[in-house]
Amino acid sequence: MAFNPKKFIEQTTEEIKKQIGKEHAITAVSGGVDSFVAATLAFKAIPNQMHVIYVNNGLMRKNETEKVVETAKTVGIELNVIDGKKRFLEALEGVTDPERKRKIIGEVFVRIFEEEAKKQNVTYLIQGTIAPDWIESGGMGRDTIKSHHNVGGLPEDMNLKLCEPLRELYKHEVRAVGKELKLPEVVYQRQPFPGPGLAVRIVGEITEEKIKIVQEACEIVENEIENAAKSGKIEKPWQYFAALLPSKTVGVRGDERSYQYTVVVRAVRSLDGMTANFSHIPLEVLEKISTRITNEIRSVGRVVYDITNKPPGTIEME
Ligand code: XMP
Protein backbone atom coordinates (compact mmCIF):
# COMPACT_ATOMS: atom_id res chain seq x y z
CA MET A 1 0.00 0.00 0.00
CA ALA A 2 1.24 3.52 -0.83
CA PHE A 3 2.47 5.61 2.09
CA ASN A 4 -0.25 7.93 3.40
CA PRO A 5 1.34 10.95 5.14
CA LYS A 6 -1.98 12.25 6.52
CA LYS A 7 -2.75 8.96 8.20
CA PHE A 8 0.82 8.70 9.45
CA ILE A 9 0.55 12.14 11.11
CA GLU A 10 -2.76 11.27 12.80
CA GLN A 11 -1.50 7.94 14.13
CA THR A 12 1.92 9.21 15.14
CA THR A 13 0.72 12.25 17.09
CA GLU A 14 -1.53 9.89 19.08
CA GLU A 15 1.39 7.53 19.69
CA ILE A 16 3.64 10.38 20.85
CA LYS A 17 0.93 11.57 23.29
CA LYS A 18 0.56 8.03 24.62
CA GLN A 19 4.29 7.39 24.94
CA ILE A 20 5.20 10.68 26.64
CA GLY A 21 2.11 10.74 28.86
CA LYS A 22 2.45 13.51 31.44
CA GLU A 23 6.24 13.64 31.19
CA HIS A 24 8.33 16.25 29.38
CA ALA A 25 10.53 15.83 26.32
CA ILE A 26 13.46 17.54 24.73
CA THR A 27 13.98 17.54 21.00
CA ALA A 28 16.97 18.81 19.11
CA VAL A 29 16.58 20.39 15.70
CA SER A 30 19.65 20.18 13.47
CA GLY A 31 18.21 21.99 10.48
CA GLY A 32 17.85 18.76 8.52
CA VAL A 33 14.51 17.46 7.27
CA ASP A 34 14.25 14.56 9.74
CA SER A 35 14.75 16.48 12.98
CA PHE A 36 12.51 19.30 11.77
CA VAL A 37 9.67 16.92 10.91
CA ALA A 38 10.09 15.04 14.22
CA ALA A 39 10.03 18.31 16.20
CA THR A 40 6.95 19.57 14.34
CA LEU A 41 5.07 16.30 14.95
CA ALA A 42 6.00 16.41 18.63
CA PHE A 43 4.95 20.07 18.82
CA LYS A 44 1.57 19.06 17.41
CA ALA A 45 1.22 16.23 19.91
CA ILE A 46 2.55 17.72 23.16
CA PRO A 47 3.04 21.48 22.67
CA ASN A 48 3.24 22.26 26.38
CA GLN A 49 5.53 19.40 27.35
CA MET A 50 8.40 19.88 24.92
CA HIS A 51 11.58 21.91 24.77
CA VAL A 52 13.21 22.41 21.41
CA ILE A 53 16.93 23.04 21.26
CA TYR A 54 19.50 23.56 18.55
CA VAL A 55 23.07 22.65 19.37
CA ASN A 56 25.70 24.39 17.30
CA ASN A 57 28.51 21.83 17.20
CA GLY A 58 30.81 24.09 15.18
CA LEU A 59 30.53 21.61 12.30
CA MET A 60 27.60 23.18 10.50
CA ARG A 61 27.56 24.78 7.07
CA LYS A 62 28.20 28.50 6.60
CA ASN A 63 25.48 30.66 8.27
CA GLU A 64 23.48 27.50 9.02
CA THR A 65 22.65 28.40 12.63
CA GLU A 66 21.02 31.70 11.64
CA LYS A 67 19.05 29.99 8.84
CA VAL A 68 17.76 27.21 11.13
CA VAL A 69 16.62 29.67 13.81
CA GLU A 70 14.77 31.76 11.21
CA THR A 71 13.09 28.74 9.60
CA ALA A 72 11.96 27.38 12.96
CA LYS A 73 10.35 30.74 13.71
CA THR A 74 8.28 30.53 10.52
CA VAL A 75 6.57 27.38 11.86
CA GLY A 76 6.12 28.82 15.35
CA ILE A 77 9.02 27.00 17.01
CA GLU A 78 11.28 29.11 19.21
CA LEU A 79 14.68 27.43 19.41
CA ASN A 80 16.91 27.47 22.44
CA VAL A 81 20.34 27.80 20.79
CA ILE A 82 23.25 26.17 22.61
CA ASP A 83 26.80 26.93 21.57
CA GLY A 84 28.68 23.64 21.85
CA LYS A 85 31.47 24.40 19.38
CA LYS A 86 34.33 24.48 21.89
CA ARG A 87 33.21 21.25 23.55
CA PHE A 88 32.88 19.30 20.30
CA LEU A 89 36.16 20.51 18.83
CA GLU A 90 38.09 19.78 22.02
CA ALA A 91 36.63 16.28 22.21
CA LEU A 92 37.55 15.65 18.56
CA GLU A 93 41.08 17.01 18.78
CA GLY A 94 43.59 14.62 17.21
CA VAL A 95 40.92 11.98 16.41
CA THR A 96 41.22 10.47 12.93
CA ASP A 97 39.22 7.24 13.07
CA PRO A 98 35.75 7.75 11.49
CA GLU A 99 33.88 5.51 13.94
CA ARG A 100 35.54 7.18 16.95
CA LYS A 101 34.62 10.58 15.55
CA ARG A 102 30.98 9.50 15.21
CA LYS A 103 30.86 8.03 18.73
CA ILE A 104 32.43 11.15 20.26
CA ILE A 105 29.94 13.40 18.46
CA GLY A 106 27.00 11.22 19.53
CA GLU A 107 28.22 11.25 23.13
CA VAL A 108 28.81 15.03 23.35
CA PHE A 109 25.34 15.65 21.86
CA VAL A 110 23.75 13.39 24.46
CA ARG A 111 25.66 14.94 27.39
CA ILE A 112 24.43 18.37 26.29
CA PHE A 113 20.85 17.03 25.90
CA GLU A 114 21.05 15.51 29.40
CA GLU A 115 22.25 18.78 30.91
CA GLU A 116 19.44 20.69 29.25
CA ALA A 117 16.93 18.00 30.22
CA LYS A 118 17.95 18.28 33.87
CA LYS A 119 17.31 22.02 33.85
CA GLN A 120 13.78 21.48 32.48
CA ASN A 121 12.81 18.30 34.35
CA VAL A 122 12.71 16.34 31.12
CA THR A 123 12.77 12.53 30.87
CA TYR A 124 12.39 11.90 27.11
CA LEU A 125 14.53 12.64 24.06
CA ILE A 126 12.59 12.88 20.79
CA GLN A 127 14.82 12.14 17.80
CA GLY A 128 14.34 12.21 14.03
CA THR A 129 15.99 8.81 13.48
CA ILE A 130 14.90 7.26 10.16
CA ALA A 131 15.22 3.70 8.82
CA PRO A 132 18.60 4.00 7.03
CA ASP A 133 20.17 5.40 10.24
CA TRP A 134 19.54 2.24 12.26
CA ILE A 135 19.97 -0.15 9.33
CA GLU A 136 23.48 1.24 8.61
CA SER A 137 24.34 1.37 12.30
CA GLY A 138 24.21 -2.44 12.42
CA GLY A 139 23.05 -4.94 15.07
CA MET A 140 20.50 -7.80 14.73
CA GLY A 141 23.01 -9.71 12.59
CA ARG A 142 23.80 -6.72 10.36
CA ASP A 143 27.28 -5.33 9.84
CA THR A 144 27.98 -1.77 11.01
CA ILE A 145 28.47 0.33 7.88
CA LYS A 146 28.70 3.49 9.97
CA SER A 147 27.41 4.36 13.43
CA HIS A 148 24.89 7.09 12.80
CA HIS A 149 25.40 9.60 15.59
CA ASN A 150 21.80 9.24 16.73
CA VAL A 151 21.86 5.41 16.91
CA GLY A 152 25.22 3.59 17.23
CA GLY A 153 26.78 6.83 18.47
CA LEU A 154 24.55 7.08 21.55
CA PRO A 155 26.32 6.33 24.86
CA GLU A 156 25.08 3.22 26.67
CA ASP A 157 24.54 5.03 29.96
CA MET A 158 22.27 7.72 28.48
CA ASN A 159 19.68 8.62 31.11
CA LEU A 160 16.92 9.80 28.76
CA LYS A 161 14.17 7.60 27.34
CA LEU A 162 13.94 7.64 23.55
CA CYS A 163 10.96 8.50 21.35
CA GLU A 164 11.62 8.08 17.62
CA PRO A 165 8.45 8.81 15.63
CA LEU A 166 10.08 8.52 12.17
CA ARG A 167 11.96 5.28 12.84
CA GLU A 168 10.26 3.24 10.12
CA LEU A 169 10.34 5.92 7.41
CA TYR A 170 12.66 6.54 4.46
CA LYS A 171 13.71 10.03 3.40
CA HIS A 172 11.12 10.47 0.62
CA GLU A 173 8.37 9.52 3.10
CA VAL A 174 9.70 12.03 5.65
CA ARG A 175 9.55 14.70 2.94
CA ALA A 176 5.92 13.77 2.22
CA VAL A 177 5.11 14.13 5.94
CA GLY A 178 6.89 17.52 5.99
CA LYS A 179 4.82 18.67 3.05
CA GLU A 180 1.59 17.46 4.69
CA LEU A 181 2.59 19.32 7.88
CA LYS A 182 2.84 22.46 5.72
CA LEU A 183 6.48 23.05 6.53
CA PRO A 184 8.19 25.53 4.19
CA GLU A 185 9.42 23.87 0.99
CA VAL A 186 13.01 24.87 1.83
CA VAL A 187 12.75 22.53 4.82
CA TYR A 188 11.12 19.42 3.38
CA GLN A 189 12.93 19.61 0.02
CA ARG A 190 16.26 20.34 1.63
CA GLN A 191 19.10 18.04 0.67
CA PRO A 192 20.12 15.70 3.50
CA PHE A 193 22.83 16.86 5.88
CA PRO A 194 24.51 14.32 8.16
CA GLY A 195 24.03 14.65 11.93
CA PRO A 196 27.79 14.70 12.61
CA GLY A 197 27.94 17.60 10.16
CA LEU A 198 31.14 18.51 8.37
CA ALA A 199 33.09 16.10 10.59
CA VAL A 200 32.32 13.31 8.11
CA ARG A 201 33.36 15.54 5.19
CA ILE A 202 36.83 16.18 6.63
CA VAL A 203 38.77 12.96 6.16
CA GLY A 204 41.06 12.48 9.16
CA GLU A 205 41.76 15.06 11.84
CA ILE A 206 39.42 18.02 12.23
CA THR A 207 40.88 21.50 12.65
CA GLU A 208 39.29 24.95 12.54
CA GLU A 209 41.19 25.68 9.31
CA LYS A 210 39.75 22.56 7.66
CA ILE A 211 36.21 23.34 8.84
CA LYS A 212 36.49 26.76 7.22
CA ILE A 213 37.73 25.25 3.93
CA VAL A 214 34.85 22.76 3.77
CA GLN A 215 32.30 25.43 4.66
CA GLU A 216 33.50 27.65 1.83
CA ALA A 217 33.78 24.75 -0.64
CA CYS A 218 30.33 23.39 0.24
CA GLU A 219 28.83 26.81 -0.34
CA ILE A 220 30.44 27.06 -3.79
CA VAL A 221 29.26 23.56 -4.77
CA GLU A 222 25.73 24.25 -3.55
CA ASN A 223 25.54 27.62 -5.37
CA GLU A 224 26.87 26.34 -8.68
CA ILE A 225 24.79 23.15 -8.68
CA GLU A 226 21.62 25.06 -7.76
CA ASN A 227 22.31 27.67 -10.47
CA ALA A 228 22.89 24.93 -13.05
CA ALA A 229 19.62 23.25 -12.01
CA LYS A 230 17.70 26.55 -12.18
CA SER A 231 18.96 27.23 -15.69
CA GLY A 232 17.95 23.74 -16.81
CA LYS A 233 21.51 22.43 -17.41
CA ILE A 234 21.07 19.59 -14.92
CA GLU A 235 18.44 17.88 -12.83
CA LYS A 236 19.08 18.78 -9.20
CA PRO A 237 21.01 15.92 -7.58
CA TRP A 238 19.68 14.25 -4.42
CA GLN A 239 22.72 15.44 -2.48
CA TYR A 240 25.72 17.60 -3.43
CA PHE A 241 28.61 18.90 -1.36
CA ALA A 242 32.37 19.19 -0.96
CA ALA A 243 34.71 17.19 1.26
CA LEU A 244 38.36 17.59 2.17
CA LEU A 245 41.13 15.00 1.88
CA PRO A 246 43.89 14.91 4.51
CA SER A 247 46.77 14.84 2.04
CA LYS A 248 48.30 17.78 0.21
CA THR A 249 49.50 17.72 -3.38
CA VAL A 250 51.95 19.81 -5.40
CA GLY A 251 50.83 22.52 -7.80
CA VAL A 252 51.82 25.95 -9.16
CA ARG A 253 50.45 29.34 -8.22
CA GLY A 254 51.80 32.09 -10.44
CA ASP A 255 55.47 31.13 -10.84
CA GLU A 256 55.73 29.43 -7.51
CA ARG A 257 55.45 25.88 -6.33
CA SER A 258 52.48 25.22 -4.07
CA TYR A 259 51.68 22.32 -1.75
CA GLN A 260 48.02 22.44 -0.88
CA TYR A 261 44.82 20.62 0.05
CA THR A 262 42.57 18.57 -2.24
CA VAL A 263 38.81 19.07 -2.27
CA VAL A 264 36.45 16.32 -3.42
CA VAL A 265 33.19 17.35 -5.11
CA ARG A 266 30.37 14.84 -4.61
CA ALA A 267 26.92 14.85 -6.21
CA VAL A 268 24.60 11.83 -6.23
CA ARG A 269 21.21 10.63 -7.39
CA SER A 270 19.28 8.50 -4.90
CA LEU A 271 15.82 7.74 -3.59
CA ASP A 272 16.51 6.92 0.03
CA GLY A 273 20.27 7.18 0.54
CA MET A 274 20.62 3.40 0.85
CA THR A 275 22.06 3.19 -2.66
CA ALA A 276 23.22 6.05 -4.89
CA ASN A 277 24.71 6.80 -8.28
CA PHE A 278 27.09 9.65 -8.92
CA SER A 279 25.44 12.47 -10.89
CA HIS A 280 26.55 13.10 -14.46
CA ILE A 281 27.34 16.78 -13.99
CA PRO A 282 28.39 18.52 -17.25
CA LEU A 283 32.10 19.33 -17.40
CA GLU A 284 31.46 23.06 -17.82
CA VAL A 285 29.65 23.11 -14.44
CA LEU A 286 32.44 21.10 -12.80
CA GLU A 287 35.05 23.42 -14.32
CA LYS A 288 33.30 26.47 -12.87
CA ILE A 289 33.19 24.79 -9.45
CA SER A 290 36.86 23.83 -9.64
CA THR A 291 37.99 27.31 -10.75
CA ARG A 292 35.95 29.02 -8.05
CA ILE A 293 37.25 26.71 -5.32
CA THR A 294 40.93 27.17 -6.21
CA ASN A 295 40.50 30.93 -6.75
CA GLU A 296 38.43 31.64 -3.67
CA ILE A 297 40.02 29.21 -1.23
CA ARG A 298 43.72 29.89 -1.49
CA SER A 299 44.78 26.86 0.58
CA VAL A 300 43.18 24.43 -1.92
CA GLY A 301 45.30 23.50 -4.94
CA ARG A 302 43.38 20.59 -6.46
CA VAL A 303 39.74 19.63 -7.01
CA VAL A 304 38.53 16.14 -7.94
CA TYR A 305 35.06 14.80 -8.79
CA ASP A 306 33.97 11.58 -7.06
CA ILE A 307 32.62 9.08 -9.60
CA THR A 308 31.89 6.28 -7.12
CA ASN A 309 28.44 4.77 -6.72
CA LYS A 310 27.02 3.44 -3.43
CA PRO A 311 27.84 0.61 -3.09
CA PRO A 312 30.80 0.27 -3.03
CA GLY A 313 31.28 3.83 -1.75
CA THR A 314 29.03 5.59 0.74
CA ILE A 315 27.63 9.05 0.07
CA GLU A 316 29.69 10.80 2.76
CA MET A 317 33.44 10.20 3.04
CA GLU A 318 33.35 8.78 6.58
P1 XMP B 1 26.11 7.38 3.68
O1 XMP B 1 27.33 8.24 3.79
O2 XMP B 1 26.02 6.37 4.77
O3 XMP B 1 24.89 8.37 3.92
O4 XMP B 1 25.93 6.77 2.32
C1 XMP B 1 23.55 8.09 3.63
C2 XMP B 1 22.75 9.34 3.96
O5 XMP B 1 22.74 9.57 5.38
C3 XMP B 1 23.39 10.79 5.72
N1 XMP B 1 24.19 10.49 6.91
C4 XMP B 1 23.77 10.72 8.18
N2 XMP B 1 22.64 11.25 8.64
N3 XMP B 1 23.43 10.94 10.87
C5 XMP B 1 22.48 11.39 10.01
O6 XMP B 1 21.47 11.94 10.46
C6 XMP B 1 24.58 10.37 10.48
O7 XMP B 1 25.41 9.99 11.30
C7 XMP B 1 24.76 10.26 9.05
N4 XMP B 1 25.77 9.76 8.29
C8 XMP B 1 25.38 9.90 6.98
C9 XMP B 1 24.20 11.18 4.50
O8 XMP B 1 24.40 12.59 4.41
C10 XMP B 1 23.37 10.61 3.37
O9 XMP B 1 22.31 11.47 3.03
Side-chain angles (χ1 to χ4, degrees), residues 114-174:
E114 285 173 342
E115 286 160 23
E116 288 308 305
K118 218 169 164 186
K119 287 184 207 159
Q120 318 277 1
N121 232 347
V122 157
T123 45
Y124 268 98
L125 172 65
I126 299 178
Q127 289 208 126
T129 311
I130 64 172
D133 298 350
W134 55 264
I135 293 171
E136 289 205 334
S137 293
M140 311 268 278
R142 287 193 185 94
D143 200 18
T144 301
I145 309 299
K146 45 182 83 172
S147 300
H148 283 244
H149 75 296
N150 48 352
V151 186
L154 292 180
E156 276 170 20
D157 62 349
M158 178 172 89
N159 61 24
L160 287 166
K161 293 179 270 188
L162 269 183
C163 168
E164 298 181 315
L166 311 178
R167 213 180 142 75
E168 302 305 324
L169 302 196
Y170 286 85
K171 193 68 106 191
H172 57 291
E173 294 167 334
V174 180

Side-chain angles (χ1 to χ4, degrees), residues 34 102 128 132-133 136 145-150 171 191-197 200-201 238-239 241 272-274 276 310 313-318:
D34 310 337
R102 285 173 167 275
D133 298 350
E136 289 205 334
I145 309 299
K146 45 182 83 172
S147 300
H148 283 244
H149 75 296
N150 48 352
K171 193 68 106 191
Q191 63 158 326
F193 186 64
V200 293
R201 295 182 180 172
W238 192 75
Q239 199 168 2
F241 57 87
D272 52 20
M274 296 295 289
K310 174 183 179 176
T314 54
I315 296 176
E316 305 289 347
M317 297 286 131
E318 290 195 335

